[in-house]
């Protein structure tokens, strides 16, 4: 629908085309259309007589059982062959087919394009092919890879157009999958028969959604597998200006009335569309669909479990009865009441938890409250004073001077690169030694460089310690 004029549907197809699909014998007409589709695929020229023979061969029982009381049959159309002729005549009347006589005086059936597309769509909806290939990702990568290897301009343009179209179809297919899962989930809610749930999930859903789309998307047609190589090719085309310009020149020379700038923008837009789409494909579509699929699968399992256990048949009632009498609170009494009607025995077993007794929690009794003899503010002040005293004793000036004296023992100078700093104690003493170096009574002096020294997990400036000369 990009840039195209949208026509009225009934300017393309006859107005009464779908009337046979809403008639009393709609099922028979659908099957007749499927026979027509088979004939279309088998023969280039479809003889009317051959088509009628195929209809009789494949739909004999359905034609015999059909009710044509509301249809205006000709006198010659009450037999089996006559009813098959009527079906073909009716399809011609409403516009599904055309019939013309050729030079050999035989009548041949023509299937219009719109008719073929609609019949094929109806057939695809009714019959999910197990071998249907969902390979948009691989096809996109393969065509781009071949075009990049040959560097033929025509092949590059064709591959780019195909890649953009397949990417769009991939996104549409993923959206369709999401809505299909929602549809199956709604059907699951409305289904009350466990066999119908099993058939819907394991026959239809597994074939139509999982086997045809989700599984190939994870294994053969994997997005993570082909995304990076595909994007690398397109990004290379963007970087190489000659690639874009060669494609633009080719299109301009082979098509009339093409604006160069619009042509270039169209090519760039397609390249960026493919790259951006695959960048967000997993986050915006695949992961969302995976979550939806897990929710549906979990809901299906819960629905099956519910339907089985709530079944009102003999089996369901037996399950409910067994659940009821298995309750420890009523088990003995229930067995006594039912002993006259059934031979029931109580069964118990020993497992790895049978000899385990859970520890019982003991509620602690509340003791008398601890009475603080001092005022909280006084206690806080004393605690801070005590902490300061401990810190002062540990990092006093005497201890810092002793630390530096030990470093300079037998030396006139030493640097932070000459000794190891492998614990917090040494690190703190080194920092304090820098502060205390400014003390006029200090026995050492320091020079600090802009360079840094790393020792173990600590990093310090490059510091030179020198003894002060005694006066």
């Amino acid at each position: 629908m990009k840039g195209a004029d949208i026509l009225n549907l009934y300017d393309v197809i006859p107005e009464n085309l779908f009337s046979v699909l809403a008639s009393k014998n709609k099922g028979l007409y659908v099957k007749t259309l499927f026979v027509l589709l088979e004939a279309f695929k088998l023969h280039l020229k479809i003889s009317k007589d051959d088509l009628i023979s195929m209809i009789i061969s494949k739909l004999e029982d359905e034609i015999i059982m059909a009710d044509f009381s509301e249809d205006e049959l000709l006198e010659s159309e009450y037999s089996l062959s006559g009813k098959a002729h009527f079906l073909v005549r009716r399809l011609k009347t409403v516009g599904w087919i055309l019939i013309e006589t050729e030079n050999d005086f035989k009548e041949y059936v023509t299937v219009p394009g719109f008719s073929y597309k609609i019949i094929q769509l109806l057939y695809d909806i009714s019959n999910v092919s197990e071998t249907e290939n969902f390979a948009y990702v691989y096809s996109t990568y393969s065509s781009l890879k071949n075009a990049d290897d040959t560097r033929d301009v025509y092949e590059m343009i064709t591959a780019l157009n195909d890649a953009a179209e397949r990417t769009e179809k991939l996104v549409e297919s993923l959206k369709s999958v999401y809505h299909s899962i929602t549809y199956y989930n709604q059907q699951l809610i409305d289904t009350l028969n466990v066999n119908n749930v099993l058939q819907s999930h394991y026959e239809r859903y597994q074939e139509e959604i999982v086997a045809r789309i989700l599984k190939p998307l994870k294994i053969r047609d994997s997005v993570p597998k082909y995304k990076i190589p595909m994007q690398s090719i397109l990004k290379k085309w963007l970087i190489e200006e000659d690639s874009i310009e060669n494609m633009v020149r080719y299109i301009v020379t082979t098509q009339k009335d093409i604006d160069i700038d619009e042509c270039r923008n169209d090519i760039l837009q397609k390249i960026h569309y493919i790259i951006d789409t695959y960048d967000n494909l997993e986050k915006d579509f695949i992961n969302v669909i995976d979550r939806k699929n897990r929710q549906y699968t979990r809901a299906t399992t819960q629905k099956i479990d519910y339907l089985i256990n709530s079944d009102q048949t003999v089996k369901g009632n037996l399950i409910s009865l067994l659940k009821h009498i298995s309750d420890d609170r009523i088990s003995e009494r229930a067995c006594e009441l039912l002993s006259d009607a059934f031979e029931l025995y109580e069964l118990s077993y020993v497992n790895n938890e049978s000899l385990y007794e859970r520890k019982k929690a003991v509620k602690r009794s509340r003791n008398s409250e601890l009475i603080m003899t001092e005022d909280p503010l006084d206690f806080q002040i004393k605690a801070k004073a005590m902490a300061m005293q401990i810190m002062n004793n540990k990092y006093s000036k005497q201890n810092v001077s002793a630390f530096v004296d030990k470093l300079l023992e037998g030396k006139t100078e030493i640097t932070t690169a000459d000794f190891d700093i492998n614990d917090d104690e040494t690190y703190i003493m080194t920092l304090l030694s820098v502060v205390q170096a400014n003390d006029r009574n200090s026995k050492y002096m320091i020079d600090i460089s802009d360079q840094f020294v790393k020792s173990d997990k600590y990093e310090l400036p490059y510091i030179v310690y020198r003894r002060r000369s005694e006066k």
Side-chain angles (χ1 to χ4, degrees):
M1 294 192 298
K2 293 180 179 178
D5 294 331
I6 301 177
L7 300 176
N8 186 343
L9 176 64
Y10 294 103
D11 290 338
V12 181
I13 66 174
E15 290 187 1
N16 296 324
L17 186 72
F18 298 107
S19 60
V20 294
L21 302 183
S23 65
K24 188 174 184 178
N25 294 317
K26 53 183 176 293
L28 178 59
Y29 281 110
V30 169
K31 292 181 179 179
T32 304
L33 291 174
F34 290 166
V35 174
L36 174 64
L37 179 64
E38 183 180 351
F40 177 87
K41 293 184 177 181
L42 289 174
H43 307 288
L44 175 62
K45 298 175 66 176
I46 306 173
S47 167
K48 178 182 175 182
D49 293 337
D50 291 341
L51 176 61
I52 291 174
S53 297
M54 289 180 66
I55 293 173
I56 294 173
S57 174
K58 294 181 178 297
L59 304 177
E60 180 177 357
D61 293 338
E62 286 85 349
I63 294 175
I64 293 174
M65 297 297 294
D67 181 8
F68 291 94
S69 58
E70 297 180 359
D71 296 303
E72 298 178 359
L73 299 180
L74 301 177
E75 292 184 3
S76 59
E77 293 177 341
Y78 284 93
S79 63
L80 177 63
S81 175
K83 291 178 179 177
H85 276 79
F86 169 76
L87 291 174
V88 174
R89 179 167 69 86
R90 183 70 175 143
L91 292 180
K92 175 181 179 296
T93 302
V94 298
W96 283 100
I97 59 176
L98 301 174
I99 297 178
E100 59 181 1
T101 304
E102 295 194 359
N103 296 333
D104 57 0
F105 301 103
K106 289 184 178 181
E107 291 183 307
Y108 290 91
V109 175
T110 299
V111 182
F114 65 82
S115 179
Y116 165 73
K117 291 179 181 179
I118 296 174
I119 299 172
Q120 183 66 60
L121 176 61
L122 295 174
Y123 184 84
D124 291 340
I125 294 174
S126 303
N127 302 271
V128 178
S129 173
E130 295 183 0
T131 59
E132 188 170 353
N133 185 23
F134 185 84
Y136 292 126
V137 182
Y138 173 74
S139 300
T140 302
Y141 164 73
S142 180
S143 60
L144 290 174
K145 179 69 167 60
N146 291 335
D148 188 59
D149 290 340
T150 61
R151 307 299 289 185
D152 182 83
V153 180
Y154 172 75
E155 292 185 9
M156 292 173 68
I157 295 172
T158 304
L160 180 61
N161 291 333
D162 289 345
E165 183 177 353
R166 289 194 186 102
T167 302
E168 190 172 353
K169 287 183 178 179
L170 172 62
V171 172
E172 291 176 357
S173 298
L174 292 175
K175 291 180 180 178
S176 175
V177 168
Y178 179 84
H179 289 277
S180 295
I181 297 176
T182 304
Y183 169 75
Y184 275 103
N185 195 54
Q186 184 61 48
Q187 278 195 323
L188 179 66
I189 296 173
D190 300 333
T191 304
L192 299 177
N193 185 288
V194 67
N195 291 328
N196 292 340
V197 175
L198 291 170
Q199 182 182 16
S200 175
H201 180 71
Y202 289 102
E203 292 185 12
R204 295 174 56 199
Y205 181 79
Q206 291 292 326
E207 291 180 5
E208 181 180 346
I209 303 298
V210 177
R212 186 172 68 91
I213 298 177
L214 295 184
K215 188 181 292 183
L217 203 61
K218 299 291 184 181
I219 302 173
R220 298 190 305 272
D221 208 39
S222 171
V223 171
K225 180 178 179 181
Y226 296 110
K227 178 176 75 172
I228 301 301
M230 186 192 312
Q231 290 178 328
S232 298
I233 293 172
L234 293 173
K235 289 177 181 178
K236 182 169 65 174
W237 291 2
L238 286 174
I239 296 173
E240 299 172 354
E241 293 184 2
D242 291 343
S243 299
I244 305 297
E245 294 305 319
N246 289 339
M247 286 190 279
V248 171
R249 282 195 294 270
Y250 184 89
I251 295 174
V252 171
T253 54
T254 55
Q255 300 181 24
K256 295 181 179 179
D257 300 328
I258 298 294
D259 184 76
I260 295 178
D261 292 334
E262 290 183 1
C263 179
R264 185 182 294 105
N265 290 336
D266 181 62
I267 292 174
L268 294 174
Q269 184 178 3
K270 288 178 180 177
I271 292 176
H272 288 296
Y273 167 72
I274 298 170
I275 294 174
D276 294 341
T277 299
Y278 275 93
D279 269 338
N280 301 315
L281 203 61
E282 292 177 89
K283 175 175 66 71
D284 293 344
F285 294 95
I286 298 177
N287 293 341
V288 177
I289 290 173
D290 283 343
R291 287 195 297 272
K292 195 76 172 177
N293 179 51
R294 288 193 295 269
Q295 292 172 359
Y296 167 74
T297 304
R298 184 165 55 252
T300 301
T301 305
Q302 293 173 348
K303 183 78 172 187
I304 293 173
D305 182 65
Y306 168 76
L307 291 175
I308 290 176
N309 292 318
S310 64
D311 194 354
Q312 298 304 308
T313 61
V314 174
K315 178 182 177 182
N317 292 329
L318 182 59
I319 291 174
S320 300
L321 181 61
L322 291 174
K323 280 186 174 182
H324 181 71
I325 65 176
S326 65
D327 191 337
D328 293 337
R329 296 170 295 179
I330 61 172
S331 177
E332 185 176 350
R333 178 61 179 159
C335 287
E336 291 179 2
L337 294 174
L338 295 173
S339 59
D340 295 336
F342 303 96
E343 290 188 9
L344 297 176
Y345 304 93
E346 184 176 357
L347 177 66
S348 59
Y349 58 92
V350 178
N351 60 14
N352 59 347
E353 295 183 357
S354 298
L355 303 179
Y356 169 75
E357 184 176 350
R358 183 179 295 277
K359 182 179 178 181
K360 295 181 180 179
V362 178
K363 186 176 181 181
R364 294 181 180 272
S365 60
R366 184 171 181 178
N367 297 323
S368 58
E369 295 183 358
L370 179 62
I371 301 175
M372 303 293 292
T373 57
E374 295 185 88
D375 183 72
L377 181 59
D378 294 339
F379 178 79
Q380 185 177 2
I381 294 173
K382 287 183 179 181
K384 289 183 178 180
M386 185 63 69
M388 291 295 295
Q389 184 179 354
I390 294 172
M391 293 296 294
N392 289 335
N393 291 338
K394 189 174 183 179
Y395 301 112
S396 63
K397 291 183 179 181
Q398 291 80 5
N399 289 341
V400 175
S401 296
F403 169 75
V404 179
D405 285 342
K406 188 175 180 180
L407 293 177
L408 292 170
E409 187 175 5
K411 303 174 184 176
T412 57
E413 68 176 41
I414 191 172
T415 69
T416 48
D418 297 332
F419 60 93
D420 295 330
I421 304 174
N422 47 24
D423 54 37
D424 293 342
E425 187 75 21
T426 307
Y427 178 71
I428 294 173
M429 294 297 281
T430 305
L431 296 179
L432 292 175
S433 67
V434 175
V435 176
Q436 194 167 314
N438 296 325
D439 194 330
R440 61 182 180 178
N441 296 323
S442 174
K443 296 179 181 180
Y444 63 91
M445 57 184 181
I446 62 171
D447 290 329
I448 302 178
S449 172
D450 293 336
Q451 299 178 355
F452 283 85
V453 175
K454 187 172 180 60
S455 179
D456 198 12
K457 60 180 179 180
Y458 304 97
E459 188 174 11
L460 286 168
Y462 185 85
I463 304 171
V464 181
Y465 294 87
R466 295 188 182 90
R467 288 187 182 275
R468 288 184 187 270
S469 58
E470 295 184 359
K471 300 179 179 179

